[in-house]
Amino acid sequence: MKEIVSNLSDLSLGIVGCGWLGIRMAKKWQIKNHIYTTTTSKDKIQALASQNLNPTLVDFNTDCPSVEILTWKVVPSLDVLIITFPISSRKDHHIHNIQKRIDNFSKFIGSFDGQMFFMNSTSVYPSKQKEFTEDDMLVEKVSAEHLLRALYPQVNILRLGGLMGDDRQLSKYNVSNLDASVNHVHYEDIPAIIERMIENKSYAKLYNVVAPKHPTKREIISVQKNQTYIESTKEVGRLISSNKLIKELEYDFIYPNPKYFHY
């Protein structure tokens, strides 16, 4: 994995749900900070422990009365808590299950009042041919965000575009609708944005986190495969704007164009 320089130091950070993105953030921050992680997989516990990421096994999906979720012992020492596990998804957005996961999560972290970040998805926006901003889908209209913020009003919500970088390259996938524009983000930009928000002491913010350029899938795959591609006229498509984040945080994306994520 590529080594990335971090500006954070001497903080205790909890990453709840240390999957593909979580492990990359943890590896970036662990040199100068104290990192604590969770996973739902027993198989991952030893791997995370061997990397000094202090893992805890917990599953917020459980509704079995015999499975008790205890308060995370490290919570009182945490400065920042980052939520990367899926509270809802396209496959499971039933309000009962969302409420169950949030209830279990709240038992786990208790009355944590430090800085908090929730990684959600731009899939909350409908499939319409227009450019969407955060005002098109307020927190109150998204069940997972609304219920979480009711318990933790300080939570910052980041709606992430399609996660790319490292082994995730569009040319490796069986892709349809090649002339559609993408709403992707390189994973390296996400911890950099979180760092900026930690420095700013950001509170209860809502941002779309998507690279500002929106090439078509065909363009990206052609560049990744080193093939010649002649640009053609394309429809506006479904675009997710990150202008609010760029303006308020004065942030310049490390990878602004998905065509060059593989460099």
PDB file of all heavy atoms in Angstrom, residues 4-11 28-29 32-33 192 195-196 199:
ATOM      1  N   ILE A   4       1.160   7.343   2.788  1.00  0.00           N
ATOM      2  CA  ILE A   4       0.574   8.670   2.665  1.00  0.00           C
ATOM      3  C   ILE A   4       0.906   9.477   3.907  1.00  0.00           C
ATOM      4  O   ILE A   4       0.740   9.011   5.023  1.00  0.00           O
ATOM      5  CB  ILE A   4      -0.959   8.577   2.514  1.00  0.00           C
ATOM      6  CG1 ILE A   4      -1.321   7.537   1.451  1.00  0.00           C
ATOM      7  CG2 ILE A   4      -1.547   9.917   2.129  1.00  0.00           C
ATOM      8  CD1 ILE A   4      -2.744   7.080   1.523  1.00  0.00           C
ATOM      9  N   VAL A   5       1.381  10.685   3.726  1.00  0.00           N
ATOM     10  CA  VAL A   5       1.746  11.533   4.855  1.00  0.00           C
ATOM     11  C   VAL A   5       0.486  12.102   5.490  1.00  0.00           C
ATOM     12  O   VAL A   5      -0.427  12.549   4.802  1.00  0.00           O
ATOM     13  CB  VAL A   5       2.669  12.674   4.412  1.00  0.00           C
ATOM     14  CG1 VAL A   5       2.976  13.597   5.577  1.00  0.00           C
ATOM     15  CG2 VAL A   5       3.962  12.111   3.829  1.00  0.00           C
ATOM     16  N   SER A   6       0.428  12.085   6.820  1.00  0.00           N
ATOM     17  CA  SER A   6      -0.720  12.613   7.551  1.00  0.00           C
ATOM     18  C   SER A   6      -0.303  13.785   8.409  1.00  0.00           C
ATOM     19  O   SER A   6       0.806  13.833   8.940  1.00  0.00           O
ATOM     20  CB  SER A   6      -1.324  11.520   8.433  1.00  0.00           C
ATOM     21  OG  SER A   6      -2.274  12.057   9.312  1.00  0.00           O
ATOM     22  N   ASN A   7      -1.225  14.741   8.570  1.00  0.00           N
ATOM     23  CA  ASN A   7      -0.981  15.889   9.429  1.00  0.00           C
ATOM     24  C   ASN A   7      -1.475  15.661  10.859  1.00  0.00           C
ATOM     25  O   ASN A   7      -1.198  16.457  11.746  1.00  0.00           O
ATOM     26  CB  ASN A   7      -1.671  17.135   8.860  1.00  0.00           C
ATOM     27  CG  ASN A   7      -1.085  17.547   7.522  1.00  0.00           C
ATOM     28  OD1 ASN A   7       0.122  17.472   7.311  1.00  0.00           O
ATOM     29  ND2 ASN A   7      -1.940  17.973   6.604  1.00  0.00           N
ATOM     30  N   LEU A   8      -2.222  14.574  11.080  1.00  0.00           N
ATOM     31  CA  LEU A   8      -2.754  14.304  12.414  1.00  0.00           C
ATOM     32  C   LEU A   8      -1.677  13.720  13.320  1.00  0.00           C
ATOM     33  O   LEU A   8      -0.842  12.934  12.874  1.00  0.00           O
ATOM     34  CB  LEU A   8      -3.915  13.319  12.333  1.00  0.00           C
ATOM     35  CG  LEU A   8      -5.214  13.771  11.683  1.00  0.00           C
ATOM     36  CD1 LEU A   8      -6.275  12.718  11.894  1.00  0.00           C
ATOM     37  CD2 LEU A   8      -5.675  15.108  12.213  1.00  0.00           C
ATOM     38  N   SER A   9      -1.715  14.085  14.589  1.00  0.00           N
ATOM     39  CA  SER A   9      -0.778  13.499  15.542  1.00  0.00           C
ATOM     40  C   SER A   9      -1.366  13.513  16.949  1.00  0.00           C
ATOM     41  O   SER A   9      -2.140  14.403  17.306  1.00  0.00           O
ATOM     42  CB  SER A   9       0.556  14.255  15.536  1.00  0.00           C
ATOM     43  OG  SER A   9       0.375  15.592  15.950  1.00  0.00           O
ATOM     44  N   ASP A  10      -1.001  12.472  17.711  1.00  0.00           N
ATOM     45  CA  ASP A  10      -1.342  12.347  19.124  1.00  0.00           C
ATOM     46  C   ASP A  10      -2.845  12.396  19.396  1.00  0.00           C
ATOM     47  O   ASP A  10      -3.303  12.985  20.367  1.00  0.00           O
ATOM     48  CB  ASP A  10      -0.630  13.440  19.933  1.00  0.00           C
ATOM     49  CG  ASP A  10      -0.530  13.068  21.412  1.00  0.00           C
ATOM     50  OD1 ASP A  10      -0.485  11.861  21.699  1.00  0.00           O
ATOM     51  OD2 ASP A  10      -0.526  13.975  22.259  1.00  0.00           O
ATOM     52  N   LEU A  11      -3.625  11.770  18.512  1.00  0.00           N
ATOM     53  CA  LEU A  11      -5.066  11.654  18.722  1.00  0.00           C
ATOM     54  C   LEU A  11      -5.441  10.191  18.894  1.00  0.00           C
ATOM     55  O   LEU A  11      -4.744   9.290  18.421  1.00  0.00           O
ATOM     56  CB  LEU A  11      -5.843  12.237  17.537  1.00  0.00           C
ATOM     57  CG  LEU A  11      -5.791  13.745  17.302  1.00  0.00           C
ATOM     58  CD1 LEU A  11      -6.608  14.099  16.060  1.00  0.00           C
ATOM     59  CD2 LEU A  11      -6.299  14.514  18.508  1.00  0.00           C
ATOM     60  N   LYS A  28      -2.961   5.015   7.377  1.00  0.00           N
ATOM     61  CA  LYS A  28      -2.444   6.367   7.191  1.00  0.00           C
ATOM     62  C   LYS A  28      -2.196   7.049   8.532  1.00  0.00           C
ATOM     63  O   LYS A  28      -1.197   7.740   8.718  1.00  0.00           O
ATOM     64  CB  LYS A  28      -3.419   7.198   6.358  1.00  0.00           C
ATOM     65  CG  LYS A  28      -2.989   8.658   6.228  1.00  0.00           C
ATOM     66  CD  LYS A  28      -3.947   9.489   5.408  1.00  0.00           C
ATOM     67  CE  LYS A  28      -3.450  10.931   5.340  1.00  0.00           C
ATOM     68  NZ  LYS A  28      -4.345  11.798   4.569  1.00  0.00           N
ATOM     69  N   TRP A  29      -3.100   6.848   9.466  1.00  0.00           N
ATOM     70  CA  TRP A  29      -3.065   7.613  10.714  1.00  0.00           C
ATOM     71  C   TRP A  29      -2.310   6.935  11.854  1.00  0.00           C
ATOM     72  O   TRP A  29      -1.976   7.586  12.841  1.00  0.00           O
ATOM     73  CB  TRP A  29      -4.502   7.886  11.174  1.00  0.00           C
ATOM     74  CG  TRP A  29      -5.234   8.863  10.320  1.00  0.00           C
ATOM     75  CD1 TRP A  29      -4.714   9.934   9.646  1.00  0.00           C
ATOM     76  CD2 TRP A  29      -6.636   8.868  10.045  1.00  0.00           C
ATOM     77  NE1 TRP A  29      -5.699  10.608   8.971  1.00  0.00           N
ATOM     78  CE2 TRP A  29      -6.900   9.980   9.198  1.00  0.00           C
ATOM     79  CE3 TRP A  29      -7.701   8.060  10.441  1.00  0.00           C
ATOM     80  CZ2 TRP A  29      -8.174  10.295   8.741  1.00  0.00           C
ATOM     81  CZ3 TRP A  29      -8.978   8.371   9.980  1.00  0.00           C
ATOM     82  CH2 TRP A  29      -9.209   9.472   9.144  1.00  0.00           C
ATOM     83  N   LYS A  32       1.304   8.207  13.927  1.00  0.00           N
ATOM     84  CA  LYS A  32       1.384   9.293  14.901  1.00  0.00           C
ATOM     85  C   LYS A  32       0.200   9.335  15.860  1.00  0.00           C
ATOM     86  O   LYS A  32       0.095  10.241  16.677  1.00  0.00           O
ATOM     87  CB  LYS A  32       1.483  10.648  14.173  1.00  0.00           C
ATOM     88  CG  LYS A  32       2.705  10.802  13.285  1.00  0.00           C
ATOM     89  CD  LYS A  32       2.693  12.163  12.606  1.00  0.00           C
ATOM     90  CE  LYS A  32       3.884  12.332  11.683  1.00  0.00           C
ATOM     91  NZ  LYS A  32       3.860  13.666  11.010  1.00  0.00           N
ATOM     92  N   ASN A  33      -0.712   8.366  15.739  1.00  0.00           N
ATOM     93  CA  ASN A  33      -1.936   8.398  16.536  1.00  0.00           C
ATOM     94  C   ASN A  33      -2.247   7.022  17.119  1.00  0.00           C
ATOM     95  O   ASN A  33      -1.622   6.024  16.768  1.00  0.00           O
ATOM     96  CB  ASN A  33      -3.117   8.865  15.674  1.00  0.00           C
ATOM     97  CG  ASN A  33      -2.879  10.218  15.036  1.00  0.00           C
ATOM     98  OD1 ASN A  33      -3.088  11.251  15.656  1.00  0.00           O
ATOM     99  ND2 ASN A  33      -2.436  10.220  13.772  1.00  0.00           N
ATOM    100  N   ALA A 192      -7.961  12.792   3.910  1.00  0.00           N
ATOM    101  CA  ALA A 192      -7.466  14.172   3.825  1.00  0.00           C
ATOM    102  C   ALA A 192      -8.574  15.169   4.151  1.00  0.00           C
ATOM    103  O   ALA A 192      -8.351  16.171   4.838  1.00  0.00           O
ATOM    104  CB  ALA A 192      -6.895  14.442   2.432  1.00  0.00           C
ATOM    105  N   GLU A 195      -9.288  14.998   7.877  1.00  0.00           N
ATOM    106  CA  GLU A 195      -8.250  15.745   8.604  1.00  0.00           C
ATOM    107  C   GLU A 195      -8.546  17.241   8.599  1.00  0.00           C
ATOM    108  O   GLU A 195      -8.419  17.921   9.626  1.00  0.00           O
ATOM    109  CB  GLU A 195      -6.880  15.487   7.990  1.00  0.00           C
ATOM    110  CG  GLU A 195      -6.329  14.115   8.291  1.00  0.00           C
ATOM    111  CD  GLU A 195      -4.894  13.954   7.844  1.00  0.00           C
ATOM    112  OE1 GLU A 195      -4.179  14.973   7.731  1.00  0.00           O
ATOM    113  OE2 GLU A 195      -4.461  12.811   7.613  1.00  0.00           O
ATOM    114  N   ARG A 196      -8.927  17.762   7.447  1.00  0.00           N
ATOM    115  CA  ARG A 196      -9.260  19.191   7.342  1.00  0.00           C
ATOM    116  C   ARG A 196     -10.427  19.523   8.281  1.00  0.00           C
ATOM    117  O   ARG A 196     -10.436  20.558   8.948  1.00  0.00           O
ATOM    118  CB  ARG A 196      -9.620  19.533   5.893  1.00  0.00           C
ATOM    119  CG  ARG A 196      -9.978  20.992   5.637  1.00  0.00           C
ATOM    120  CD  ARG A 196      -8.781  21.925   5.772  1.00  0.00           C
ATOM    121  NE  ARG A 196      -7.702  21.564   4.882  1.00  0.00           N
ATOM    122  CZ  ARG A 196      -7.585  21.990   3.606  1.00  0.00           C
ATOM    123  NH1 ARG A 196      -8.512  22.789   3.095  1.00  0.00           N
ATOM    124  NH2 ARG A 196      -6.558  21.625   2.874  1.00  0.00           N
ATOM    125  N   GLU A 199      -9.284  19.529  11.926  1.00  0.00           N
ATOM    126  CA  GLU A 199      -8.559  20.772  12.191  1.00  0.00           C
ATOM    127  C   GLU A 199      -9.534  21.946  12.354  1.00  0.00           C
ATOM    128  O   GLU A 199      -9.331  22.831  13.192  1.00  0.00           O
ATOM    129  CB  GLU A 199      -7.578  21.062  11.056  1.00  0.00           C
ATOM    130  CG  GLU A 199      -6.422  20.073  10.974  1.00  0.00           C
ATOM    131  CD  GLU A 199      -5.658  20.172   9.660  1.00  0.00           C
ATOM    132  OE1 GLU A 199      -6.026  21.027   8.804  1.00  0.00           O
ATOM    133  OE2 GLU A 199      -4.700  19.410   9.480  1.00  0.00           O
TER     134      GLU A 199
END
